[in-house]
mmCIF file of all heavy atoms in Angstrom:
data_model
loop_
_atom_site.group_PDB
_atom_site.id
_atom_site.type_symbol
_atom_site.label_atom_id
_atom_site.label_comp_id
_atom_site.label_asym_id
_atom_site.label_seq_id
_atom_site.Cartn_x
_atom_site.Cartn_y
_atom_site.Cartn_z
ATOM 1 N N ILE A 1 -9.207 15.832 99.662
ATOM 2 C CA ILE A 1 -8.828 16.507 100.911
ATOM 3 C C ILE A 1 -8.250 17.868 100.534
ATOM 4 O O ILE A 1 -7.218 17.945 99.862
ATOM 5 C CB ILE A 1 -7.791 15.699 101.714
ATOM 6 C CG1 ILE A 1 -8.377 14.353 102.147
ATOM 7 C CG2 ILE A 1 -7.326 16.487 102.937
ATOM 8 C CD1 ILE A 1 -7.400 13.467 102.891
ATOM 9 N N LEU A 2 -8.913 18.941 100.920
ATOM 10 C CA LEU A 2 -8.432 20.292 100.653
ATOM 11 C C LEU A 2 -7.456 20.710 101.739
ATOM 12 O O LEU A 2 -7.651 20.402 102.917
ATOM 13 C CB LEU A 2 -9.600 21.278 100.604
ATOM 14 C CG LEU A 2 -10.616 21.100 99.466
ATOM 15 C CD1 LEU A 2 -11.773 22.088 99.628
ATOM 16 C CD2 LEU A 2 -9.944 21.293 98.113
ATOM 17 N N SER A 3 -6.396 21.422 101.351
ATOM 18 C CA SER A 3 -5.405 21.854 102.342
ATOM 19 C C SER A 3 -4.950 23.275 102.050
ATOM 20 O O SER A 3 -4.905 23.710 100.893
ATOM 21 C CB SER A 3 -4.196 20.912 102.341
ATOM 22 O OG SER A 3 -3.465 21.034 101.142
ATOM 23 N N ASP A 4 -4.614 23.997 103.116
ATOM 24 C CA ASP A 4 -4.110 25.364 103.012
ATOM 25 C C ASP A 4 -3.267 25.647 104.249
ATOM 26 O O ASP A 4 -3.276 24.876 105.218
ATOM 27 C CB ASP A 4 -5.264 26.358 102.885
ATOM 28 C CG ASP A 4 -4.805 27.729 102.385
ATOM 29 O OD1 ASP A 4 -3.628 27.841 102.003
ATOM 30 O OD2 ASP A 4 -5.607 28.667 102.394
ATOM 31 N N ASP A 5 -2.546 26.766 104.218
ATOM 32 C CA ASP A 5 -1.690 27.087 105.352
ATOM 33 C C ASP A 5 -2.461 27.700 106.514
ATOM 34 O O ASP A 5 -2.109 27.509 107.671
ATOM 35 C CB ASP A 5 -0.546 28.017 104.933
ATOM 36 C CG ASP A 5 -1.044 29.235 104.155
ATOM 37 O OD1 ASP A 5 -2.246 29.283 103.837
ATOM 38 O OD2 ASP A 5 -0.227 30.122 103.857
ATOM 39 N N LEU A 6 -3.542 28.447 106.219
ATOM 40 C CA LEU A 6 -4.236 29.188 107.277
ATOM 41 C C LEU A 6 -5.738 29.213 107.048
ATOM 42 O O LEU A 6 -6.196 29.402 105.916
ATOM 43 C CB LEU A 6 -3.708 30.638 107.332
ATOM 44 C CG LEU A 6 -4.437 31.616 108.255
ATOM 45 C CD1 LEU A 6 -4.178 31.257 109.709
ATOM 46 C CD2 LEU A 6 -3.993 33.052 107.979
ATOM 47 N N LEU A 7 -6.495 29.026 108.107
ATOM 48 C CA LEU A 7 -7.945 29.235 108.076
ATOM 49 C C LEU A 7 -8.295 30.225 109.176
ATOM 50 O O LEU A 7 -8.193 29.926 110.359
ATOM 51 C CB LEU A 7 -8.706 27.930 108.301
ATOM 52 C CG LEU A 7 -10.235 28.084 108.415
ATOM 53 C CD1 LEU A 7 -10.813 28.626 107.113
ATOM 54 C CD2 LEU A 7 -10.896 26.785 108.788
ATOM 55 N N HIS A 8 -8.681 31.424 108.753
ATOM 56 C CA HIS A 8 -9.057 32.461 109.726
ATOM 57 C C HIS A 8 -10.398 33.070 109.314
ATOM 58 O O HIS A 8 -11.433 32.754 109.894
ATOM 59 C CB HIS A 8 -7.966 33.519 109.808
ATOM 60 C CG HIS A 8 -8.239 34.612 110.801
ATOM 61 N ND1 HIS A 8 -8.794 34.358 112.043
ATOM 62 C CD2 HIS A 8 -8.057 35.969 110.735
ATOM 63 C CE1 HIS A 8 -8.930 35.502 112.709
ATOM 64 N NE2 HIS A 8 -8.499 36.482 111.930
ATOM 65 N N LYS A 9 -10.394 33.891 108.285
ATOM 66 C CA LYS A 9 -11.629 34.509 107.821
ATOM 67 C C LYS A 9 -12.359 33.653 106.786
ATOM 68 O O LYS A 9 -13.547 33.839 106.564
ATOM 69 C CB LYS A 9 -11.330 35.896 107.251
ATOM 70 C CG LYS A 9 -10.782 36.864 108.299
ATOM 71 C CD LYS A 9 -10.517 38.238 107.703
ATOM 72 C CE LYS A 9 -9.965 39.190 108.762
ATOM 73 N NZ LYS A 9 -9.673 40.536 108.203
ATOM 74 N N GLY A 10 -11.644 32.760 106.136
ATOM 75 C CA GLY A 10 -12.292 31.778 105.264
ATOM 76 C C GLY A 10 -12.749 32.282 103.915
ATOM 77 O O GLY A 10 -13.612 31.654 103.283
ATOM 78 N N TYR A 11 -12.195 33.395 103.421
ATOM 79 C CA TYR A 11 -12.640 33.928 102.135
ATOM 80 C C TYR A 11 -12.344 32.959 100.990
ATOM 81 O O TYR A 11 -13.188 32.701 100.134
ATOM 82 C CB TYR A 11 -11.949 35.266 101.845
ATOM 83 C CG TYR A 11 -12.322 36.370 102.805
ATOM 84 C CD1 TYR A 11 -11.343 37.130 103.448
ATOM 85 C CD2 TYR A 11 -13.655 36.660 103.088
ATOM 86 C CE1 TYR A 11 -11.681 38.144 104.325
ATOM 87 C CE2 TYR A 11 -14.002 37.676 103.966
ATOM 88 C CZ TYR A 11 -13.011 38.415 104.589
ATOM 89 O OH TYR A 11 -13.338 39.416 105.459
ATOM 90 N N ARG A 12 -11.135 32.415 100.975
ATOM 91 C CA ARG A 12 -10.727 31.573 99.855
ATOM 92 C C ARG A 12 -11.505 30.260 99.825
ATOM 93 O O ARG A 12 -11.971 29.822 98.782
ATOM 94 C CB ARG A 12 -9.218 31.304 99.923
ATOM 95 C CG ARG A 12 -8.618 30.837 98.605
ATOM 96 C CD ARG A 12 -7.114 30.632 98.761
ATOM 97 N NE ARG A 12 -6.424 31.855 99.103
ATOM 98 C CZ ARG A 12 -5.811 32.640 98.238
ATOM 99 N NH1 ARG A 12 -5.809 32.317 96.951
ATOM 100 N NH2 ARG A 12 -5.185 33.734 98.625
ATOM 101 N N ILE A 13 -11.657 29.625 100.999
ATOM 102 C CA ILE A 13 -12.369 28.346 101.036
ATOM 103 C C ILE A 13 -13.840 28.540 100.690
ATOM 104 O O ILE A 13 -14.466 27.695 100.044
ATOM 105 C CB ILE A 13 -12.212 27.661 102.421
ATOM 106 C CG1 ILE A 13 -12.921 26.309 102.438
ATOM 107 C CG2 ILE A 13 -12.738 28.525 103.539
ATOM 108 C CD1 ILE A 13 -12.406 25.323 101.440
ATOM 109 N N SER A 14 -14.422 29.680 101.090
ATOM 110 C CA SER A 14 -15.827 29.950 100.764
ATOM 111 C C SER A 14 -16.019 30.076 99.259
ATOM 112 O O SER A 14 -17.026 29.621 98.697
ATOM 113 C CB SER A 14 -16.303 31.224 101.462
ATOM 114 O OG SER A 14 -16.276 31.072 102.867
ATOM 115 N N ALA A 15 -15.033 30.697 98.592
ATOM 116 C CA ALA A 15 -15.139 30.912 97.151
ATOM 117 C C ALA A 15 -15.023 29.602 96.380
ATOM 118 O O ALA A 15 -15.819 29.331 95.471
ATOM 119 C CB ALA A 15 -14.070 31.891 96.683
ATOM 120 N N ILE A 16 -14.043 28.771 96.746
ATOM 121 C CA ILE A 16 -13.851 27.542 95.978
ATOM 122 C C ILE A 16 -14.870 26.472 96.361
ATOM 123 O O ILE A 16 -15.170 25.588 95.554
ATOM 124 C CB ILE A 16 -12.416 26.998 96.142
ATOM 125 C CG1 ILE A 16 -12.180 26.498 97.567
ATOM 126 C CG2 ILE A 16 -11.391 28.040 95.753
ATOM 127 C CD1 ILE A 16 -10.858 25.793 97.727
ATOM 128 N N ASP A 17 -15.428 26.569 97.571
ATOM 129 C CA ASP A 17 -16.426 25.581 97.994
ATOM 130 C C ASP A 17 -17.650 25.627 97.085
ATOM 131 O O ASP A 17 -18.245 24.595 96.759
ATOM 132 C CB ASP A 17 -16.827 25.842 99.450
ATOM 133 C CG ASP A 17 -17.851 24.822 99.943
ATOM 134 O OD1 ASP A 17 -17.531 23.620 99.939
ATOM 135 O OD2 ASP A 17 -18.966 25.239 100.326
ATOM 136 N N LYS A 18 -18.032 26.841 96.665
ATOM 137 C CA LYS A 18 -19.174 26.984 95.766
ATOM 138 C C LYS A 18 -18.938 26.241 94.454
ATOM 139 O O LYS A 18 -19.840 25.608 93.906
ATOM 140 C CB LYS A 18 -19.432 28.469 95.482
ATOM 141 C CG LYS A 18 -19.796 29.291 96.710
ATOM 142 C CD LYS A 18 -19.956 30.753 96.336
ATOM 143 C CE LYS A 18 -20.254 31.597 97.574
ATOM 144 N NZ LYS A 18 -20.352 33.039 97.228
ATOM 145 N N ILE A 19 -17.697 26.303 93.956
ATOM 146 C CA ILE A 19 -17.381 25.670 92.680
ATOM 147 C C ILE A 19 -17.369 24.153 92.824
ATOM 148 O O ILE A 19 -17.851 23.425 91.944
ATOM 149 C CB ILE A 19 -16.025 26.188 92.158
ATOM 150 C CG1 ILE A 19 -16.077 27.710 92.007
ATOM 151 C CG2 ILE A 19 -15.671 25.532 90.832
ATOM 152 C CD1 ILE A 19 -14.764 28.333 91.607
ATOM 153 N N PHE A 20 -16.842 23.642 93.944
ATOM 154 C CA PHE A 20 -16.845 22.201 94.167
ATOM 155 C C PHE A 20 -18.275 21.661 94.225
ATOM 156 O O PHE A 20 -18.569 20.575 93.722
ATOM 157 C CB PHE A 20 -16.096 21.865 95.457
ATOM 158 C CG PHE A 20 -14.613 21.701 95.272
ATOM 159 C CD1 PHE A 20 -13.760 22.791 95.346
ATOM 160 C CD2 PHE A 20 -14.072 20.450 95.015
ATOM 161 C CE1 PHE A 20 -12.395 22.643 95.163
ATOM 162 C CE2 PHE A 20 -12.713 20.284 94.834
ATOM 163 C CZ PHE A 20 -11.865 21.389 94.911
ATOM 164 N N LYS A 21 -19.172 22.448 94.835
ATOM 165 C CA LYS A 21 -20.565 22.023 94.908
ATOM 166 C C LYS A 21 -21.237 22.089 93.543
ATOM 167 O O LYS A 21 -22.034 21.213 93.185
ATOM 168 C CB LYS A 21 -21.320 22.898 95.910
ATOM 169 C CG LYS A 21 -20.927 22.631 97.368
ATOM 170 C CD LYS A 21 -21.696 23.525 98.326
ATOM 171 C CE LYS A 21 -21.324 23.211 99.770
ATOM 172 N NZ LYS A 21 -22.012 24.112 100.744
ATOM 173 N N GLN A 22 -20.921 23.137 92.761
ATOM 174 C CA GLN A 22 -21.494 23.266 91.418
ATOM 175 C C GLN A 22 -21.084 22.090 90.526
ATOM 176 O O GLN A 22 -21.877 21.600 89.720
ATOM 177 C CB GLN A 22 -21.037 24.581 90.782
ATOM 178 C CG GLN A 22 -21.663 25.816 91.393
ATOM 179 C CD GLN A 22 -21.052 27.094 90.855
ATOM 180 O OE1 GLN A 22 -20.161 27.070 90.005
ATOM 181 N NE2 GLN A 22 -21.525 28.234 91.341
ATOM 182 N N GLU A 23 -19.836 21.646 90.681
ATOM 183 C CA GLU A 23 -19.328 20.554 89.847
ATOM 184 C C GLU A 23 -19.578 19.188 90.482
ATOM 185 O O GLU A 23 -19.129 18.169 89.948
ATOM 186 C CB GLU A 23 -17.828 20.747 89.581
ATOM 187 C CG GLU A 23 -17.471 22.058 88.896
ATOM 188 C CD GLU A 23 -18.113 22.190 87.529
ATOM 189 O OE1 GLU A 23 -18.423 21.139 86.910
ATOM 190 O OE2 GLU A 23 -18.309 23.331 87.073
ATOM 191 N N ASP A 24 -20.264 19.179 91.628
ATOM 192 C CA ASP A 24 -20.618 17.934 92.317
ATOM 193 C C ASP A 24 -19.378 17.106 92.654
ATOM 194 O O ASP A 24 -19.303 15.910 92.365
ATOM 195 C CB ASP A 24 -21.585 17.113 91.460
ATOM 196 C CG ASP A 24 -22.242 15.984 92.261
ATOM 197 O OD1 ASP A 24 -22.368 16.133 93.498
ATOM 198 O OD2 ASP A 24 -22.618 14.968 91.655
ATOM 199 N N VAL A 25 -18.394 17.776 93.276
ATOM 200 C CA VAL A 25 -17.172 17.105 93.717
ATOM 201 C C VAL A 25 -17.197 17.047 95.241
ATOM 202 O O VAL A 25 -17.087 18.073 95.905
ATOM 203 C CB VAL A 25 -15.914 17.845 93.239
ATOM 204 C CG1 VAL A 25 -14.653 17.137 93.748
ATOM 205 C CG2 VAL A 25 -15.897 17.953 91.723
ATOM 206 N N PRO A 26 -17.352 15.859 95.834
ATOM 207 C CA PRO A 26 -17.404 15.764 97.299
ATOM 208 C C PRO A 26 -16.036 16.011 97.929
ATOM 209 O O PRO A 26 -15.008 15.580 97.399
ATOM 210 C CB PRO A 26 -17.872 14.323 97.537
ATOM 211 C CG PRO A 26 -17.437 13.586 96.311
ATOM 212 C CD PRO A 26 -17.503 14.562 95.174
ATOM 213 N N VAL A 27 -16.038 16.721 99.061
ATOM 214 C CA VAL A 27 -14.807 17.008 99.808
ATOM 215 C C VAL A 27 -14.829 16.193 101.090
ATOM 216 O O VAL A 27 -15.715 16.356 101.926
ATOM 217 C CB VAL A 27 -14.683 18.514 100.119
ATOM 218 C CG1 VAL A 27 -13.440 18.772 100.976
ATOM 219 C CG2 VAL A 27 -14.614 19.326 98.824
ATOM 220 N N LEU A 28 -13.866 15.304 101.237
ATOM 221 C CA LEU A 28 -13.809 14.413 102.390
ATOM 222 C C LEU A 28 -13.513 15.186 103.670
ATOM 223 O O LEU A 28 -14.178 15.014 104.689
ATOM 224 C CB LEU A 28 -12.747 13.335 102.165
ATOM 225 C CG LEU A 28 -12.569 12.309 103.286
ATOM 226 C CD1 LEU A 28 -13.830 11.454 103.426
ATOM 227 C CD2 LEU A 28 -11.355 11.422 102.992
ATOM 228 N N MET A 29 -12.491 16.068 103.625
ATOM 229 C CA MET A 29 -12.146 16.865 104.795
ATOM 230 C C MET A 29 -11.227 18.001 104.383
ATOM 231 O O MET A 29 -10.778 18.084 103.231
ATOM 232 C CB MET A 29 -11.470 16.003 105.874
ATOM 233 C CG MET A 29 -10.074 15.522 105.532
ATOM 234 S SD MET A 29 -9.295 14.610 106.896
ATOM 235 C CE MET A 29 -9.316 15.835 108.209
ATOM 236 N N LEU A 30 -10.939 18.890 105.339
ATOM 237 C CA LEU A 30 -10.026 20.010 105.120
ATOM 238 C C LEU A 30 -8.927 19.956 106.174
ATOM 239 O O LEU A 30 -9.206 19.688 107.348
ATOM 240 C CB LEU A 30 -10.752 21.351 105.199
ATOM 241 C CG LEU A 30 -11.865 21.609 104.180
ATOM 242 C CD1 LEU A 30 -13.215 21.249 104.777
ATOM 243 C CD2 LEU A 30 -11.879 23.069 103.746
#
């Protein structure tokens, strides 16, 4: 479960999402 204080423009989540997919780590929710 990924967590952060704010989701607005989504730059940070977009960047780390690519890495989670590359390493084949499933994300249950945010």
Side-chain angles (χ1 to χ4, degrees):
I1 297 177
L2 295 175
S3 68
D4 196 8
D5 51 353
L6 172 70
L7 175 63
H8 181 41
K9 296 181 180 179
Y11 295 129
R12 199 179 298 263
I13 182 61
S14 296
I16 68 172
D17 181 60
K18 298 177 183 177
I19 302 175
F20 273 87
K21 289 180 178 177
Q22 289 173 1
E23 302 299 335
D24 194 27
V25 179
V27 176
L28 180 66
M29 70 176 301
L30 299 95

